């Protein structure tokens, strides 16, 4: 019973982190229709910004988190403005954009490794002093509760943004037909820039949460990117709700999959899930 | 007064001249028909005028002042041009109402983050949707509309932009008689509002009934232009459609 409860908690927490990555990834994919691989490295940007401000400069942790989120958003926005937008303007194919995003991913990851070395670090001040709660025999930490609460808050906020604001309607219009959106006077480039900001800021926040829960390292973006992409494809790429559903499904399959075997199999199980979906339901759960 | 002019407009697809040194002048407040056999360059012309295709030569002049050697889609709205498509293009995953409301989105992106649609916008959306008889379908997703309703929604979307020039590409095709009546009425109302309509249509009865002036295209060139009665009786036009 204890293990079962613990696996459920672990699955939900992993699902919440993957959902945050998938939300930003799907938001950007929906508007641009290309796989922005640089999305993964935004997690490292968020995590290392907080690390720099709290551990090196000894700033207030809450202020550092806000700066980390905004900085990740700003890098995403700048990538669009200085790399993707000029390419889109020249009518570059999605393959070119994908390669450019992979280049940006590698370059940023290398810069982080140079600036901060490649060691595994944690953002928590004192891990042993962290509060934890026992529920149905399973243990959940204070940080993990914060992860769950903030993931729920961001998901709700994003849904409200998309459905209740004019900005959200414009994003949906661009997602449906960017060319027609331009013709009817929607400032598509500006809106796509904001989409990159929002999506990257969410990924940065996910990186910060992971940093507090487990830790950060320059290559953390790759693993989280894979999980976000798998969640998106399983749920239905470009579909925000699908991405969240896929993220939690991935979290459960991954954690229950290693119930009786080594945790090293986690990634293999995640990719097995992806392959199963690519063969039997390539459009994902939510896309018709 | 000339509201839209093309001078030596050229568009090539490989070795084919889809639009070949085309020079036309469109008068303000007139309903202009563009006719010609399939492949004569009518839709290509509309695509050039709305920035959907890049020009290979020539220029487009709007209001006698604005000269373009290249039009871009994002400029079209700001120069008062609205269009519909031969194959309907809607925001499929949005409701009928949102397809209209999104046009009324604030141009200032930041303020659009926080503002909701006002009574004024909802009233304006209701007005255009009533005009095309789609108000009762306002909460349906665009993708679930019938073909004719989709065509009407596309026209409503063009109307809400309050443009000066309307480019309507085969807007009557596939419509039931009552829907054709709605579109005819809208075109006539646009004329009364001193708006300019450029209409691509294959139904010669409609062209004769609605248009003040006709341009006949063949193989990308202007074959003949003039008033409907004069043009439609012309030997060149009959030959272009039926062969010699």
């Amino acid at each position: 019973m204890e293990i079962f409860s613990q696996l459920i908690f672990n699955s939900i927490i992993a699902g919440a982190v993957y959902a945050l990555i998938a939300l930003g990834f799907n938001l950007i994919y929906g508007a641009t229709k290309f796989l922005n691989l640089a999305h993964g490295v935004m997690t490292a940007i968020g995590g290392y910004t907080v690390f720099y401000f709290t551990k090196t400069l000894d700033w207030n942790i809450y202020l550092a988190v806000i700066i980390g989120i905004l900085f990740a958003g700003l890098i995403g926005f700048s990538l669009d403005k200085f790399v993707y937008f000029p390419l889109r303007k020249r009518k570059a194919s999605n393959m070119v954009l994908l390669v450019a995003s992979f280049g940006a991913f590698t370059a940023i990851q290398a810069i982080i490794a140079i600036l901060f070395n490649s060691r595994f670090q944690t953002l928590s001040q004192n891990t042993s002093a962290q509060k934890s709660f026992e529920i149905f025999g399973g243990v959940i930490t204070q940080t993990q509760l914060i992860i769950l609460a903030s993931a729920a808050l961001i998901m709700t906020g994003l849904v409200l943004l998309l459905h209740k604001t004019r900005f959200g309607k414009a994003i949906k219009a661009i997602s449906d037909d960017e060319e027609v959106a331009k013709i009817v006077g929607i400032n598509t480039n500006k809106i796509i820039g904001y989409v990159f900001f929002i999506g990257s800021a969410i990924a940065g926040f996910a990186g910060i949460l992971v940093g507090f829960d487990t830790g950060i390292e320059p290559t953390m973006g790759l693993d989280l990117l894979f999980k976000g992409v798998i969640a998106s494809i399983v749920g239905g790429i470009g579909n925000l709700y699908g991405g969240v559903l896929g993220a939690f499904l991935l979290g459960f399959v991954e954690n229950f999959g290693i119930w009786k075997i080594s945790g090293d199999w986690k990634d293999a199980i995640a990719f097995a899930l992806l392959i199963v979906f690519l063969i039997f339901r390539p459009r994902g759960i939510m896309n018709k | 007064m000339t509201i839209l002019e093309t001078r030596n407009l050229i568009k090539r697809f490989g070795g084919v001249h889809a639009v070949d040194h085309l020079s036309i002048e469109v008068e303000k407040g007139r309903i202009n028909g563009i006719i010609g056999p399939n492949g004569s360059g009518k839709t290509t012309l509309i695509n050039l005028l709305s920035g959907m295709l890049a020009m290979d030569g020539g220029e487009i002049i709007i209001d006698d002042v604005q000269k373009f050697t290249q039009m871009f889609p994002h400029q079209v709205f700001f120069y008062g041009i609205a269009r519909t498509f031969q194959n309907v293009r809607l925001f499929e995953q949005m409701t009928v109402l949102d397809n209209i409301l999104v046009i009324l989105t604030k141009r200032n992106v930041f303020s659009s983050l926080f503002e909701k649609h006002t009574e004024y916008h909802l009233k304006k959306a209701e007005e255009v949707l009533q005009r095309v008889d789609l108000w009762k379908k306002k909460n349906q997703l665009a993708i679930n509309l019938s073909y004719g309703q989709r065509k009407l929604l596309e026209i409503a979307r063009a109307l809400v932009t309050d443009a000066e020039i309307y480019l309507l590409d085969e807007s009557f095709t596939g419509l039931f008689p009552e829907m054709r009546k709605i579109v005819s009425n809208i075109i006539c109302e646009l004329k009364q509002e001193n708006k300019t309509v450029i209409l691509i249509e294959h139904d010669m009865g409609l062209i004769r009934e609605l248009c003040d002036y006709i341009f006949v295209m063949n193989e990308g060139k202007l074959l003949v232009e003039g008033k409907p009665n004069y043009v439609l009786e012309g030997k060149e036009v009959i030959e272009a459609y039926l062969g010699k």
Side-chain angles (χ1 to χ4, degrees):
Chain A
M1 179 65 187
E2 279 174 18
I3 293 176
F4 188 75
S5 304
Q6 193 59 54
L7 283 173
I8 288 182
F9 289 148
N10 291 352
S11 306
I12 293 172
I13 292 152
V17 172
Y18 300 158
L20 287 177
I21 310 283
L23 275 176
F25 184 81
N26 272 338
L27 189 68
I28 294 171
Y29 179 85
T32 59
K33 299 287 179 287
F34 87 93
L35 299 172
N36 173 32
L37 299 184
H39 189 68
V41 84
M42 299 301 153
T43 57
I45 290 173
Y48 274 94
T49 306
V50 174
F51 178 81
Y52 177 72
F53 280 97
T54 54
K55 305 274 175 172
T56 313
L57 300 182
D58 206 21
W59 281 29
N60 176 287
I61 202 159
Y62 298 105
L63 186 63
V65 168
I66 292 168
I67 294 172
I69 294 168
L70 293 178
F71 190 59
L74 193 69
I75 297 289
F77 179 82
S78 307
L79 270 182
D80 176 56
K81 196 159 179 58
F82 299 112
V83 181
Y84 306 140
F85 171 66
L87 287 171
R88 283 203 306 274
K89 209 172 163 189
R90 288 182 206 171
K91 298 199 185 298
S93 68
N94 284 349
M95 182 54 79
V96 171
L97 285 160
L98 181 134
V99 172
S101 73
F102 185 64
F105 180 102
T106 315
I108 294 170
Q109 185 175 277
I111 291 168
I112 292 172
I114 291 164
L115 290 177
F116 296 94
N117 79 50
S118 297
R119 263 186 306 147
F120 189 80
Q121 326 249 19
T122 180
L123 296 181
S124 291
Q125 305 294 337
N126 187 354
T127 340
S128 54
Q130 204 183 128
K131 271 189 199 167
S132 57
F133 308 91
E134 201 180 315
I135 309 165
F136 299 120
V139 176
I140 189 161
T141 66
Q142 193 180 18
T143 308
Q144 289 170 334
L145 282 177
I146 294 171
I147 290 178
L148 290 179
S150 38
L153 206 69
I154 287 173
M155 286 172 216
T156 315
L158 205 57
V159 168
L160 289 175
L161 178 82
L162 285 176
H163 291 281
K164 298 289 177 192
T165 67
R166 298 184 187 187
F167 177 74
K169 287 191 174 86
I171 292 176
K172 283 206 272 180
I174 293 170
S175 179
D176 265 346
D177 195 328
E178 190 189 343
E179 205 171 28
V180 174
K182 274 184 189 164
I183 281 184
V184 298
I186 296 170
N187 192 338
T188 57
N189 291 325
K190 232 179 191 173
I191 285 178
I192 288 174
Y194 279 91
V195 164
F196 268 94
F197 180 87
I198 296 167
S200 305
I202 296 173
F205 185 49
I208 295 168
L209 293 174
V210 170
F212 279 109
D213 187 31
T214 53
I216 53 171
E217 54 187 330
T219 54
M220 67 189 280
L222 190 64
D223 185 48
L224 288 170
L225 173 75
F226 281 148
K227 299 298 165 64
V229 173
I230 293 172
S232 303
I233 293 172
V234 166
I237 198 151
N239 187 317
L240 291 186
Y241 305 109
V244 173
L245 191 66
F248 282 101
L249 179 66
L250 175 63
F252 272 89
V253 169
E254 222 183 43
N255 281 286
F256 276 88
I258 56 162
W259 189 346
K260 302 281 181 192
I261 53 174
S262 158
D264 293 340
W265 283 93
K266 224 177 191 180
D267 288 345
I269 291 167
F271 278 96
L273 179 72
L274 174 70
I275 290 166
V276 167
F277 266 83
L278 286 176
I279 293 171
F280 296 106
R281 197 167 168 89
R283 288 183 168 206
I285 301 169
M286 297 285 274
N287 285 348
K288 284 176 189 167
Chain B
M1 180 201 162
T2 304
I3 192 166
L4 180 71
E5 189 181 344
T6 68
R7 282 189 195 153
N8 281 317
L9 198 60
I10 302 169
K11 180 66 197 175
R12 290 183 218 99
F13 293 115
V16 180
H17 280 74
V19 171
D20 191 2
H21 294 88
L22 184 76
S23 299
I24 60 169
E25 284 185 27
V26 176
E27 291 288 310
K28 185 176 168 63
R30 238 173 30 182
I31 302 173
N32 303 274
I34 300 185
I35 62 169
N38 286 333
S40 58
K42 307 181 295 290
T43 296
T44 305
L45 171 62
I46 297 279
N47 284 340
L48 292 171
L49 292 174
S50 57
M52 307 284 283
L53 285 176
M55 293 150 59
D56 290 325
E59 54 187 12
I60 294 168
I61 303 157
I62 298 172
D63 269 340
D64 272 334
V65 189
Q66 307 286 346
K67 288 189 183 180
F68 299 93
T69 50
Q70 204 60 259
M71 287 285 281
F72 294 100
H74 65 270
Q75 293 174 321
V76 168
F77 172 84
F78 295 98
Y79 289 102
I81 299 175
R83 72 163 290 181
T84 64
F85 295 85
Q86 193 175 337
N87 299 314
V88 186
R89 286 173 72 171
L90 296 169
F91 301 127
E92 306 281 357
Q93 301 301 327
M94 295 170 75
T95 64
V96 168
L97 182 61
D98 279 350
N99 261 271
I100 302 299
L101 285 177
V102 74
I103 317 286
L104 302 167
T105 299
K106 268 258 190 246
R107 304 301 150 202
N108 181 334
V109 175
F110 193 71
S111 69
S112 74
L113 273 168
F114 306 102
E115 277 184 87
K116 279 188 159 190
H117 290 283
T118 60
E119 272 302 306
Y120 168 76
H121 293 128
L122 290 168
K123 215 172 155 188
K124 209 168 169 190
E126 181 179 352
E127 190 187 299
V128 288
L129 287 175
Q130 293 280 19
R131 267 175 101 173
V132 295
D133 199 25
L134 284 179
W135 178 242
K136 52 187 179 294
K137 304 264 177 193
K138 64 178 187 291
N139 293 323
Q140 262 194 32
L141 283 183
I143 198 167
N144 295 331
L145 295 179
S146 71
Y147 181 75
Q149 287 166 340
R150 289 161 59 76
K151 284 231 157 194
L152 291 176
L153 179 57
E154 206 182 37
I155 290 170
R157 193 177 63 189
L159 289 177
V160 84
T161 63
D162 208 16
E164 283 302 316
I165 303 166
Y166 292 84
L167 311 172
L168 306 181
D169 194 353
E170 299 194 20
S171 291
F172 289 92
T173 310
L175 297 188
F176 291 119
E178 60 270 29
M179 288 176 170
R180 289 167 78 94
K181 188 77 195 148
I182 290 172
V183 179
S184 299
N185 288 342
I186 286 170
I187 291 174
C188 293
E189 284 161 17
L190 286 173
K191 188 189 171 185
Q192 282 162 16
E193 293 163 20
N194 204 27
K195 308 280 189 186
T196 308
V197 177
I198 297 177
L199 175 69
I200 293 182
E201 187 50 55
H202 285 291
D203 183 334
M204 292 306 137
L206 273 169
I207 288 285
R208 202 185 286 273
E209 183 191 319
L210 290 172
C211 294
D212 303 307
Y213 202 82
I214 298 176
F215 299 95
V216 185
M217 289 181 70
N218 194 23
E219 293 174 355
K221 293 190 174 103
L222 180 66
L223 188 67
V224 60
E225 63 180 297
K227 302 228 177 217
N229 284 340
Y230 158 73
V231 169
L232 293 177
E233 307 303 325
K235 195 179 156 206
E236 317 97 297
V237 177
I238 294 166
E239 278 179 1
Y241 270 95
L242 302 175
K244 290 185 185 175

